[in-house]
Every structure is written in structure tokens, then in C-alpha cells.
Amino acid sequence: MNSEDAFEFMNGLILEKTKISLNECERDVFLGIWASKTYGEISQEKNRDYQYVKETGPKLFKKIGTIFQINLNKNNFKPTIEQLYRQYTLRKISEISQRDDVITNLSIAQQDRPVYTDNPFIPLNDIITEQHQLFGREREITRVFETLNSGSSVALIGEKKIGKSSLLQAIYQQAPNRLLKPRKAIYLNLSLIFNDDDFYDELCNKVEIPVSKGRQLIRELQKQQLLLLLDEVQQMTWDGFTREFRQQLRGLADGQANPPLRLVIAASEHLDVLFPDSRDNPSPFQGVCIEEVIKPWGKNIVRGFIDSRLGNTQVSFTEEEIIKLIQGSGGHPQRLMYLCHRTYSRYMEGIKTAL
């Protein structure tokens, strides 16, 4: 087991037990200690404060030790994690060997219990707005708020349907509790906005100020402290959005210690590809937004997601089915949701037939 596999395994278990992922510094320390590096080497390699890294190590050992009730330190770190992995694997194999087809194993007692027929793998296409349904993105959300609280704006970059819009909704809902300096969160979906006028009209409506633009808008917004979340920001490459509009948006989000706007934007391509900066066509985000790349889930997060959705049902997917779901989805949340929905539906059809 290499360092990345070890981290993914442990982070998946911790996420399953606590609903919170290890943060980025904890990840760097985990991988560094696995590779037998000193705290000094880790801090230098990752460009982190040495004292902070040195303090993170013992806190990480204590966190893992408390969760799994083990004695963990720098010297026994790797063999202890490897032992946990072996125990987990053997337990899973035992569970699989004892598991028979859920349909033929329906006992009289089970038949007396209510059967949950509602498919838990939803929504299939919509943005997730119910926070209890959002899974496996706490690390990304934490990094976004760390960046915002450090004084920078953020760009969520990822392929279509990877979950950027759902992340924006989570940030929108969590902003009141996680921003160190309060800002009013405003969400705009640019797929429904086609030009400058549409944007100004919608923004002013959400901020509850008179519709305005230019200097008047600047004066109005300078009275505000806003967190502006822009979805489908690639729409701003359309001809309906002018050079002046881009410059004004940039000016409101940059160049001040505490600008009126702090941005969180979502796009399907990197910003230097979408908005190449030039004199004639200035980028509204160059040097303003720090990119956070949204990647597919790892296999342990996929397993945790499936377990969490099946928790209140009488259905359990077989190991073979789970492996196929991991491979078929590639860790892409929406594809995984669809494939799990289809697999669950087959189980329920079989149960209804058996009953």
C-alpha cells in the first residue's frame, strides 16, 4: 500500500465515522510521515510553517487514535495503519462471505419490518440543496473557506456535472457560520443571464438596491460586504458581456484590503483558458481567484457514499456490484448516483416480485 492509498483509506474511514475529512495540512503531514520524512522536510517541501506542521503531527496522531481507539505515534504510524487496513479488509471479506442474496435471505422477521421502497440515490440530475444529502466534499468546502478567510476569492474548476453547483449551494448556506468576517451571500446562475443588463438587474435585485451600473453601482456596493457566488461563469465569455463589465467586476473584487465583493465562481475550464488576459479583453479573474480543482471521488469515498445512502434500507450491494460501480462511475458523483439508482431499483423490483 503506497502513501496515497493509505491516506485515501484512512480519510475514507474518518469521513465515514465523523463526517469530516482530514484537512490539507493533515494530508501533507500524513503523506510525509508515511514516507519517513521529518517535520522540517515536510514543511519545506509543502511550503508550510514549520511550527504549524510540528504541532499538526501529534494532533493528527491523537485524532486517529481517539477515533479508532489505538495508540498512534510517529514511530508506529505506518505499521499501525497497515494493520488497520488488514483488519478492515478481513472484516469486509468476512461480511461478504456471510452475505447471501438479499431477496432469498428475507426472513419472516424481516418481512414484518417496513420495506423502504423510496430510492435513496437521488437527485439524479438536480443540484443538491439539502445539506444532509451532500457527501464527500467537506475537504473542498473547508479549503474554500480557508481561502476566503485569508482574503482571497475562489474559483471552483471541474468538468461538467462533477458537483460544482452543489458545492456553491453548500458554501452559500454555510457562509454565515464559517466566514470570519460576515458577508451577505448572493448566488447567481449565469446560465440564465445573457448580458450586462441582465446581470446588473439580477444582482441589484438580490442585494435589494436600486438597479444601477457604473459609478452609481460602485457607490451602492461599497456600502455592502458581499460574498458573490457565480455559477456557470464560462457564460461570461459571450458577446453580451462587455469589456467595461469585466473591468468593473474585477475592480469590485480586487485592489482593496476589504473589497465590497468576495467571489466564489464555478467554471468547467481553467480561468487562463476561459479568460486569457489582454489589453483588449481583460480577464475579470486574473490574480483575483485562487483555483480549487474539483476531482472525482476516490474509491473509499465512493464506498462511504454507498453505505450512507443504504443505511436506512434493507438492501446491501455486493462487493462485486460495488467494484463495478466504482469502475463504471470513475468516481464521478452524478454518474455514480445514476448507476446506484439503477442498481437499487433492480433490488427493489426483485423484492416486490419475491413478496
Side-chain angles (χ1 to χ4, degrees):
M1 183 165 56
N2 62 34
S3 59
E4 289 288 351
D5 288 340
F7 175 80
E8 191 171 298
F9 163 69
M10 287 303 300
N11 193 44
L13 290 184
I14 291 169
L15 181 63
E16 181 180 343
K17 289 179 177 291
T18 68
K19 308 303 180 187
I20 300 176
S21 299
L22 296 177
N23 62 40
E24 199 65 17
C25 187
E26 288 172 328
R27 179 181 186 276
D28 291 341
V29 171
F30 185 105
L31 297 177
I33 293 174
W34 188 272
S36 301
K37 294 179 180 178
T38 65
Y39 291 132
E41 290 171 334
I42 297 170
S43 63
Q44 185 174 15
E45 181 180 309
K46 297 299 181 179
N47 196 26
R48 293 187 179 276
D49 178 73
Y50 169 76
Q51 190 62 34
Y52 185 66
V53 169
K54 187 177 179 181
E55 291 172 358
T56 298
K59 290 179 181 178
L60 177 62
F61 303 146
K62 184 177 179 181
K63 177 188 287 189
I64 296 175
T66 301
I67 293 172
F68 297 98
Q69 298 182 341
I70 57 175
N71 180 24
L72 191 65
N73 56 55
K74 193 174 182 181
N75 295 326
N76 70 0
F77 184 80
K78 188 173 181 179
T80 303
I81 299 299
E82 288 175 333
Q83 183 180 1
L84 274 176
Y85 178 77
R86 287 192 294 269
Q87 291 173 348
Y88 177 86
T89 303
L90 289 172
R91 188 168 66 250
K92 283 294 181 182
I93 291 173
S94 176
E95 291 172 359
I96 295 164
S97 65
Q98 295 172 14
R99 182 193 302 159
D100 205 344
D101 190 346
V102 66
I103 299 171
T104 59
N105 270 340
L106 281 173
S107 64
I108 295 175
Q110 287 177 314
Q111 291 180 34
D112 290 337
R113 289 164 53 194
V115 177
Y116 294 87
T117 57
D118 290 340
N119 197 311
F121 294 100
I122 55 172
L124 292 179
N125 296 304
D126 295 336
I127 297 171
I128 294 175
T129 56
E130 299 293 332
Q131 290 307 290
H132 70 276
Q133 291 185 333
L134 188 67
F135 188 89
R137 292 300 188 192
E138 179 56 34
R139 184 196 299 177
E140 289 87 345
I141 293 172
T142 297
R143 283 201 295 254
V144 166
F145 280 108
E146 286 175 349
T147 301
L148 291 172
N149 287 326
S150 73
S152 296
S153 293
V154 182
L156 305 177
I157 308 298
E159 61 182 288
K160 290 183 180 296
K161 304 297 183 181
I162 196 71
K164 301 185 298 297
S165 297
S166 297
L167 271 176
L168 280 181
Q169 284 295 320
I171 295 162
Y172 174 80
Q173 294 182 36
Q174 295 180 32
N177 298 321
R178 299 186 70 166
L179 287 178
L180 298 181
K181 295 182 179 179
R183 286 179 176 269
K184 180 179 179 179
I186 303 291
Y187 172 84
L188 296 180
N189 186 342
L190 295 188
S191 65
L192 305 174
I193 295 174
F194 304 101
N195 52 47
D196 294 5
D197 290 339
D198 286 352
F199 182 91
Y200 291 131
D201 183 74
E202 189 67 16
L203 176 62
C204 292
N205 180 60
K206 290 288 183 70
V207 181
E208 299 179 335
I209 60 175
V211 177
S212 55
K213 61 176 68 174
R215 291 301 309 168
Q216 180 62 32
L217 177 64
I218 292 173
R219 282 192 290 269
E220 290 290 343
L221 291 182
Q222 283 176 338
K223 304 173 187 176
Q224 310 279 338
Q225 287 290 286
L226 303 178
L227 178 65
L228 183 58
L229 302 106
L230 300 178
D231 206 353
E232 302 290 348
V233 79
Q234 61 270 11
Q235 307 298 97
M236 285 177 55
T237 60
W238 290 5
D239 293 339
F241 293 96
T242 64
R243 180 177 185 272
E244 290 72 24
F245 165 78
R246 297 168 192 257
Q247 287 181 314
Q248 187 169 70
L249 183 62
R250 180 189 180 99
L252 288 166
D254 192 26
Q256 305 173 51
N258 196 30
L261 299 185
R262 190 77 74 211
L263 301 174
V264 182
I265 65 175
S268 55
E269 295 184 81
H270 290 283
L271 297 181
D272 58 349
V273 175
L274 278 176
F275 304 101
D277 195 38
S278 68
R279 178 187 297 180
D280 296 330
N281 193 26
S283 167
F285 307 117
Q286 183 74 27
V288 176
C289 294
I290 294 176
E291 293 189 357
E292 175 69 32
V293 179
I294 309 304
K295 299 177 181 178
W297 286 339
K299 58 185 178 181
N300 285 322
I301 295 182
V302 171
R303 290 177 180 275
F305 168 76
I306 293 171
D307 288 345
S308 71
R309 289 299 178 101
L310 292 178
N312 289 327
T313 75
Q314 291 180 324
V315 171
S316 295
F317 293 169
T318 66
E319 180 67 12
E320 181 181 1
E321 286 170 333
I322 292 173
I323 291 172
K324 287 181 179 178
L325 290 168
I326 292 172
Q327 295 172 343
S329 67
H332 191 290
Q334 190 174 72
R335 286 200 292 267
L336 177 66
M337 187 79 81
Y338 171 76
L339 293 173
C340 288
H341 187 279
R342 192 169 61 180
T343 303
Y344 185 89
S345 295
R346 286 200 298 268
Y347 269 94
M348 296 313 301
E349 289 168 6
I351 290 174
K352 289 176 183 178
T353 301
L355 295 176

